[in-house]
Amino acid sequence: MTKTIKPLLSEQLAPSVSLQHIRSCMQNPYPESLPFIGQQRAQSALDFALGMDLPGYNVFVMGEAATGRFTMVKEKLEAHSKSRPTPKEWLYVNNYEDHREPITMFMQPGESRKLADDVDAFLDEVVDTFPAAFDNPGYQRKKKSIDRDFDNKYNAALTAVEQMAVEKSVVMMEENGVVSFAPVINGKQLDDNEFAALDEQLQAQFYDSIDELEDGLIEALIELPRWKRESSEKLRKLKKTTIELATKPLLKALEHKYASHIGVIRYLKDLRVEIVEAVLDWLDDDSATSEDQKDDFDAKGMLTDFFAPNILIEYKEGAPAPVVYEPNPTFGNIFGKIEYESAQGSLITSYRSIQAGALHRANGGYLIMDADKVISSPQVWDGLKLSLKTHQIKNDLPYQDSSVGSSFTLKPQLIPMDVKIILLGSRDLYYTISEYDEEFGELFRVLSDFDYYLPSSDRLQYQFVSKVLDYCEQTLKCGLSAEALARLLKFSYRQAEHQSKLSARFADVLELVAEASYYTKQDGEDEIDAHHINEALVGKQYRTGQLSENMLSDIEEGHTLIATQGKAVGKVNGLTVLHIGDTSFGNPARITATVYAGSDGVIDVEREAELGKSIHSKGVMLLTGYLGNKYAQNFSLTLSANIAIEQSYGYIDGDSASLAELCGLVSAITQIPIEQSLALTGSINQHGEVQAVGGVNEKIEGFFKLCKIRGLTGKQGVIIPHSNLINLVLEDEVIEAIRTNKFQIYAVKDVDEALELLMGVPAGEPQNGVYSDGSINQRALTRLEKIAQVVNGEDKETTEEDE
């Protein structure tokens, strides 16, 4: 007789949710704030990292998206940042000795803006004062005195030459600074015609006199350049003195105000010297050659670009430490940028063009980034590690040489870095970085591990209900019924594929609630009910389910061969699950096996065709181990068998088809037909024990949909591993069909139980090493032994001896 394996009851197919408990939770919202739910291990690790102020205790938050990683990290950091002091503000000021190396300066929160405003007011005073200050009577008097000294020397030289000219009957003339000579006869200056009418001897005499006078003029004015230089130096000195006297009181007030800040005092000291030269070059009327130039000249802008501090980061007094999330961690966005502008075909820049990056904004606090985006750029990753090791913010652009070329570039002083880095990444990425980067473990000593699942408990359900209700009230502005909450809990169980665990992807729950609110509004209601949740699920399945519907349609139309009635030898219905985008669905697949005399062993057609990946190939290889251990204890296991998943043209991975493949193989060996109304999934080990597989819910529902299309007979069903019972969270439609005996689900622990269900024949228990006659195992053993004799020639020799 076959073992009595009863189908599962409807109560075993999904977790039970207490509506009474949900209503109790709704009446008494959770007393504490709930920024996130569960994840105690991750919270503990993050608290530890935030409490460690030593270098290297940066954090890698490991987990999948939508598990609340970012929400929890941000909430924790913002809470912890309130206990930390407000960071210093950082500025860049001009380095007047080398403009390529701007100087850093730090100030206390709120002081940078005050300094910038004070410097701006000072520059306004300078612009208002000059060049009007040069109109001061005292300045003009001294300027005239300098001009008079020059004029006296110049006039004295000319007077001496003029006296010589009178003695030689020559008149000296000066026009527009040009000195010339002309002959005089009888007190009259001769013009050219009159001079030409003179005799040659007199003309020659005048030529000689004029040449002599010109030589005398040159000798008299040989000191003229020195007189001009001395006059210009005196005038420049006078202007400098005037500028110093005008700016000294203004700077004195600033120096007194910032007397306790050494960096500002040094900056003002340099400004005191440079402002004098700047006024001389830019605000002196004598420096502009035309009115148009005066009108176009922006004196205030020039002074600001040369003297005003460049504030990188500023804070309000008493503000918490910064918490910065950088969604696009490029080199410039993290380490800052130096902007350039084009001038006469060249790129130019200045200390005022230095822009802060995420590390500057997070200095003294925390910086959150996505690990995959950081790792994708070697320059960013190497720069970040260098900054963490040197505790300075790297700021030399890796592409600066190639993009800027020979143009003017900057090398600003480095800013000390005090930032705790938090990277968000997947489990695979964490282990990959750890394996290939030896420095990673030293720089990121803390792992905050987010689990996929949350252990279901009354307290966790309490938090779940309160969080969803708060989201509906604050964001969606609508209510939620207890039945809808029960449906959401079941959805979370389904995501976790576990009857006692909720999914950690709480964001998906909120997304479903938001989509359900759409259907609620369509119905003109203000409370989300369970049927609205179902509508949202059906709507999403419809939007993304074209591929699954096409596959079912191909089966229904006969393009894909899948039988749900009758019996067949060597043919069995396997169950697969496809993951495409953000959707998963079950897809039945026919698995066939053929056996014949030979010594090729069990051949995996998928592997031979390079469609089967490693785990699937491993599952097929285990079949040989099972057959040898089960049947070939007294003879050599020798056979040729082919196993294939029919009409499969894509890559196949996973060992969940190994149970179905073994059943098809045993059917081909024993020639016992398999019931086609049953489909099965499960992996096996070499001892024939059936092991759990993934996607069991989608697989069951995929075969159920096919049977429903063809008509439920009550004999159709699915065989699953017994260890997968805890993973059952089936849709209500399937549960109802099972409750009314229109569909069946069986749970098996070993291969023999599956074979009995599929073939309706006892598997057979060994008695003294012998299986009972007519049992599946006895027929398999006999056939395998017969094949071994044929292949090894033993059967032929026995026949010849008999003859």
Side-chain angles (χ1 to χ4, degrees):
M1 290 183 62
T2 62
K3 296 180 181 178
T4 304
I5 302 176
K6 296 182 179 180
L8 299 181
L9 301 176
S10 58
E11 292 80 9
Q12 297 175 272
L13 306 180
S16 60
V17 178
S18 172
L19 283 175
Q20 181 178 357
H21 179 250
I22 291 177
R23 291 190 178 97
S24 176
C25 295
M26 293 176 68
Q27 293 172 1
N28 303 284
Y30 200 74
E32 301 174 9
S33 175
L34 288 172
F36 42 83
I37 298 176
Q39 304 292 0
Q40 297 303 319
R41 188 193 307 274
Q43 292 188 52
S44 176
L46 198 55
D47 288 336
F48 169 76
L50 297 180
M52 293 293 291
D53 292 330
L54 298 177
Y57 284 89
N58 301 292
V59 189
F60 190 100
V61 179
M62 183 173 71
E64 302 306 318
T67 56
R69 296 178 310 174
F70 181 79
T71 301
M72 191 195 83
V73 168
K74 189 175 181 182
E75 289 286 341
K76 285 280 186 182
L77 296 183
E78 288 179 348
H80 195 268
S81 66
K82 296 176 182 177
S83 62
R84 297 195 63 180
T86 305
K88 299 181 179 67
E89 298 179 334
W90 288 94
L91 311 86
Y92 273 110
V93 295
N94 204 349
N95 184 349
Y96 302 106
E97 295 181 359
D98 186 353
H99 297 300
R100 296 176 182 270
E101 298 184 4
I103 300 171
T104 60
M105 188 169 67
F106 72 88
M107 302 191 73
Q108 296 303 317
E111 292 185 354
S112 297
R113 180 53 54 190
K114 294 178 182 178
L115 175 63
D117 292 342
D118 289 339
V119 172
D120 187 67
F122 165 74
L123 296 178
D124 283 335
E125 290 280 355
V126 171
V127 172
D128 293 340
T129 302
F130 297 96
F134 296 133
D135 295 332
N136 183 279
Y139 169 82
Q140 291 294 329
R141 185 172 59 255
K142 293 178 181 179
K143 182 176 182 297
K144 289 179 180 179
S145 175
I146 295 172
D147 293 341
R148 187 166 53 251
D149 290 342
F150 172 80
D151 292 341
N152 289 338
K153 293 179 181 178
Y154 181 75
N155 292 333
L158 292 182
T159 300
V161 174
E162 186 177 16
Q163 290 177 353
M164 291 174 58
V166 170
E167 294 173 357
K168 297 180 180 297
S169 298
V170 176
V171 63
M172 185 182 74
M173 300 173 292
E174 181 180 6
E175 186 176 356
N176 296 329
V178 177
V179 178
S180 59
F181 297 94
V184 175
I185 295 179
N186 299 324
K188 181 183 177 184
Q189 179 179 337
L190 301 181
D191 57 20
D192 292 342
N193 293 330
E194 292 173 338
F195 181 78
L198 299 177
D199 57 44
E200 294 182 356
Q201 182 178 3
L202 188 57
Q203 287 181 3
Q205 182 179 352
F206 276 116
Y207 278 131
D208 292 340
S209 298
I210 291 174
D211 288 341
E212 184 178 350
L213 289 171
E214 287 178 345
D215 291 340
L217 179 65
I218 292 173
E219 184 177 354
L221 297 179
I222 196 170
E223 296 292 328
L224 181 63
R226 182 173 66 84
W227 297 340
K228 287 185 177 181
R229 185 172 61 254
E230 290 177 350
S231 178
S232 297
E233 289 177 355
K234 289 179 180 179
L235 182 60
R236 187 175 182 85
K237 185 176 181 181
L238 174 62
K239 289 182 178 180
K240 282 187 176 182
T241 303
T242 303
I243 296 170
E244 288 175 355
L245 291 174
T247 57
K248 184 176 181 179
L250 303 176
L251 288 173
K252 197 71 176 177
L254 290 179
E255 290 174 353
H256 178 73
K257 182 176 181 179
Y258 296 97
S260 61
H261 199 297
I262 298 176
V264 177
I265 294 299
R266 188 181 298 115
Y267 160 64
L268 294 176
K269 181 180 178 182
D270 294 338
L271 190 148
R272 178 193 294 274
V273 176
E274 296 297 326
I275 193 67
V276 174
E277 298 295 333
V279 171
L280 284 176
D281 293 339
W282 300 331
L283 299 182
D284 184 4
D285 275 342
D286 297 337
S287 64
T289 59
S290 68
E291 292 297 325
D292 292 340
Q293 288 179 324
K294 292 180 181 180
D295 294 338
D296 296 339
F297 186 72
D298 182 10
K300 176 62 184 302
M302 293 285 288
L303 292 175
T304 299
D305 290 342
F306 200 69
F307 294 107
N310 176 17
I311 302 176
L312 283 186
I313 300 297
E314 57 181 316
Y315 301 100
K316 293 182 179 179
E317 188 175 356
V323 177
V324 178
Y325 171 64
E326 178 50 62
N328 183 26
T330 61
F331 196 96
N333 288 347
I334 294 179
F335 300 101
K337 305 175 184 178
I338 300 177
E339 296 180 342
Y340 291 81
E341 61 181 12
S342 178
Q344 297 180 350
S346 299
L347 295 176
I348 61 172
T349 187
S350 72
Y351 76 102
R352 296 273 297 173
S353 298
I354 301 174
Q355 303 295 321
L359 283 175
H360 297 96
R361 298 195 305 273
N363 206 7
Y366 311 95
L367 175 60
I368 309 170
M369 294 183 290
D370 295 309
D372 56 340
K373 296 178 182 178
V374 175
I375 294 296
S376 64
S377 173
Q379 294 171 337
V380 171
W381 179 238
D382 291 341
L384 182 63
K385 291 193 297 182
L386 180 61
S387 293
L388 289 173
K389 288 185 289 186
T390 60
H391 307 293
Q392 291 179 319
I393 300 177
K394 177 184 175 69
N395 62 3
D396 52 320
L397 302 182
Y399 49 82
Q400 181 168 273
D401 294 338
S402 60
S403 64
V404 179
S406 59
S407 301
F408 184 87
T409 59
L410 298 180
K411 189 178 180 181
Q413 287 186 359
L414 298 182
I415 294 177
M417 188 180 82
D418 177 21
V419 181
K420 194 172 287 290
I421 307 293
I422 293 89
L423 294 182
L424 309 177
S426 66
R427 195 172 301 274
D428 291 341
L429 181 59
Y430 174 78
Y431 293 125
T432 301
I433 302 174
S434 300
E435 181 177 357
Y436 289 101
D437 194 327
E438 296 178 354
E439 297 175 321
F440 177 69
E442 299 177 4
L443 300 176
F444 291 84
R445 300 177 184 272
V446 181
L447 171 65
S448 180
D449 189 357
F450 273 69
D451 200 355
Y452 296 106
Y453 315 109
L454 304 175
S456 180
S457 62
D458 289 346
R459 183 171 183 268
L460 191 65
Q461 288 188 7
Y462 191 5
Q463 295 177 342
F464 182 99
V465 169
S466 297
K467 185 69 176 175
V468 173
L469 287 175
D470 181 69
Y471 177 74
C472 289
E473 180 181 346
Q474 300 296 330
T475 304
L476 302 179
K477 309 298 182 184
C478 64
L480 195 71
S481 69
E483 290 75 13
L485 282 166
R487 185 65 185 86
L488 288 172
L489 280 168
K490 184 177 179 181
F491 170 78
S492 186
Y493 284 120
R494 172 62 178 259
Q495 278 195 310
E497 287 191 290
H498 207 282
Q499 294 187 359
S500 60
K501 294 180 180 178
L502 294 172
S503 170
R505 294 176 59 90
F506 190 74
D508 291 345
V509 175
L510 299 182
E511 179 184 337
L512 178 59
V513 175
E515 293 177 5
S517 68
Y518 166 79
Y519 297 97
T520 305
K521 294 176 182 177
Q522 293 289 96
D523 294 342
E525 300 177 9
D526 57 2
E527 183 179 80
I528 300 174
D529 205 353
H531 69 273
H532 296 129
I533 304 293
N534 290 329
E535 283 186 72
L537 289 170
V538 171
K540 185 171 185 178
Q541 184 178 2
Y542 177 75
R543 294 192 298 271
T544 60
Q546 182 173 350
L547 184 59
S548 62
E549 290 179 6
N550 290 343
M551 289 184 171
L552 282 177
S553 177
D554 288 343
I555 297 174
E556 184 182 6
E557 294 171 358
H559 297 159
T560 302
L561 301 179
I562 300 287
T564 55
Q565 293 182 1
K567 296 183 178 182
V569 174
K571 300 177 182 178
V572 63
N573 292 329
L575 298 175
T576 64
V577 63
L578 299 180
H579 302 280
I580 300 176
D582 60 347
T583 62
S584 301
F585 58 91
N587 183 49
R590 170 172 283 184
I591 298 173
T592 61
T594 57
V595 176
Y596 50 91
S599 58
D600 295 332
V602 179
I603 296 176
D604 178 13
V605 175
E606 311 301 327
R607 180 181 63 186
E608 298 299 321
E610 298 184 353
L611 291 176
K613 294 189 178 181
S614 56
I615 298 179
H616 177 264
S617 299
K618 174 186 175 183
V620 175
M621 291 176 184
L622 290 176
L623 303 187
T624 303
Y626 171 79
L627 293 176
N629 179 65
K630 185 82 172 180
Y631 305 115
Q633 296 294 329
N634 299 316
F635 60 89
S636 175
L637 179 63
T638 307
L639 82 161
S640 290
N642 288 341
I643 297 177
I645 299 177
E646 302 292 353
Q647 295 180 283
S648 173
Y649 308 107
Y651 290 107
I652 297 173
D653 201 10
D655 61 351
S656 63
S658 57
L659 174 61
E661 290 168 337
L662 178 58
C663 292
L665 182 60
V666 171
S667 173
I669 293 172
T670 62
Q671 295 297 299
I672 302 175
I674 288 178
E675 182 65 55
Q676 300 297 295
S677 61
L678 295 177
L680 71 161
T681 183
S683 70
I684 63 165
N685 58 29
Q686 295 184 87
H687 296 281
E689 296 171 323
V690 179
Q691 303 166 147
V693 295
V696 63
N697 295 295
E698 289 84 359
K699 292 175 180 178
I700 293 172
E701 291 166 359
F703 190 68
F704 173 80
K705 290 178 181 177
L706 174 59
C707 295
K708 180 184 176 184
I709 291 174
R710 291 180 172 177
L712 296 174
T713 63
K715 294 182 179 180
Q716 298 145 334
V718 171
I719 299 173
I720 64 171
H722 190 275
S723 52
N724 272 127
L725 286 179
I726 194 68
N727 305 116
L728 293 179
V729 189
L730 295 171
E731 296 292 346
D732 293 339
E733 184 181 19
V734 181
I735 296 175
E736 180 61 23
I738 291 172
R739 190 183 66 80
T740 56
N741 296 320
K742 293 180 179 180
F743 194 76
Q744 312 294 335
I745 297 179
Y746 300 93
V748 298
K749 297 179 180 179
D750 55 45
V751 174
D752 286 348
E753 292 181 352
L755 289 172
E756 289 185 357
L757 285 168
L758 290 170
M759 299 177 180
V761 178
E765 294 290 339
Q767 298 292 334
N768 298 322
V770 179
Y771 292 103
S772 57
D773 290 340
S775 66
I776 299 172
N777 289 327
Q778 188 271 335
R779 295 173 67 170
L781 189 150
T782 301
R783 177 75 191 285
L784 290 172
E785 187 174 10
K786 183 69 174 178
I787 292 174
Q789 291 173 353
V790 171
V791 174
N792 296 326
E794 297 176 5
D795 187 58
K796 181 178 180 182
E797 292 175 1
T798 302
T799 303
E800 290 176 352
E801 289 176 0
D802 292 342
E803 291 177 352

